[in-house]
Amino acid sequence: MLYRKTKFLAGMTLIAAMLLVTGIALAAATKVPVSGGQFTVGVLDPGTSWVDEDGITHVRDLILEVSFTGDIEGSAIQGLNYNIDPFGNGDLHGTAVFMGTIFGDEAMLSGRFAGDISAGVFSADSIGHGTIGGAQAKSSLTTTGVLGSGVATYDGTILFPHGQ
């Protein structure tokens, strides 16, 4: 009889442990909205630029330091590439590495962005991956502003794939 009780309790303990581990592994992802401002602090490297025979200005490897305010606080180093015609239309893309705080927790994210320029106004979507407060996180932001003004706004979400 004691053997059966011990075997039953051991089996129940194993099942409870498996359910706990499965529940943690399957925790629902959490999405949190973020918004704020972005300001160019300085040009770290002007990169290379030229104008082609069609009047398109090409800029490659422009390195900027950018400051974030709002829900995201800190700075990023951006590598920017863009092409713009004489009417202010074109495209842009690049990379960014962010260090600072998000929701008051230490954060480090890195990723890519790409977008369009229309009459000098840009809109770029970015995806970043990294950690916030030690938890894995993914940022999805849309940044808009006037190209060359050094001022922009961002709006988007932070995703915690394993819950927050």
Side-chain angles (χ1 to χ4, degrees):
M1 184 75 149
L2 181 60
Y3 174 74
R4 283 187 190 160
K5 286 182 181 177
T6 304
K7 190 174 179 180
F8 176 77
L9 288 174
M12 292 304 291
T13 302
L14 181 60
I15 289 171
M18 285 176 23
L19 289 173
L20 178 64
V21 169
T22 303
I24 291 170
L26 297 176
T30 305
K31 272 189 179 181
V32 183
V34 292
S35 62
Q38 177 180 316
F39 308 93
T40 300
V41 176
V43 175
L44 303 179
D45 187 334
T48 305
S49 63
W50 70 96
V51 178
D52 68 19
E53 62 279 352
D54 295 322
I56 309 278
T57 300
H58 303 273
V59 175
R60 297 292 179 268
D61 302 320
L62 172 61
I63 308 297
L64 304 172
E65 181 179 0
V66 178
S67 176
F68 286 82
T69 61
D71 296 323
I72 300 173
E73 299 270 337
S75 64
I77 303 299
Q78 292 182 341
L80 176 61
N81 304 290
Y82 66 89
N83 308 296
I84 191 165
D85 69 16
F87 303 103
N89 302 311
D91 61 81
L92 58 84
H93 66 278
T95 61
V97 176
F98 170 81
M99 293 182 73
T101 61
I102 301 176
F103 314 121
D105 290 323
E106 211 171 287
M108 183 177 166
L109 299 163
S110 62
R112 299 187 162 283
F113 60 89
D116 294 314
I117 308 165
S118 179
V121 176
F122 72 88
S123 179
D125 294 321
S126 66
I127 300 291
H129 297 273
T131 59
I132 300 172
Q136 290 296 314
K138 175 183 172 183
S139 66
S140 297
L141 303 176
T142 298
T143 305
T144 56
V146 176
L147 188 67
S149 72
V151 179
T153 60
Y154 68 86
D155 186 12
T157 59
I158 302 292
L159 173 70
F160 294 93
H162 303 294
Q164 187 176 349

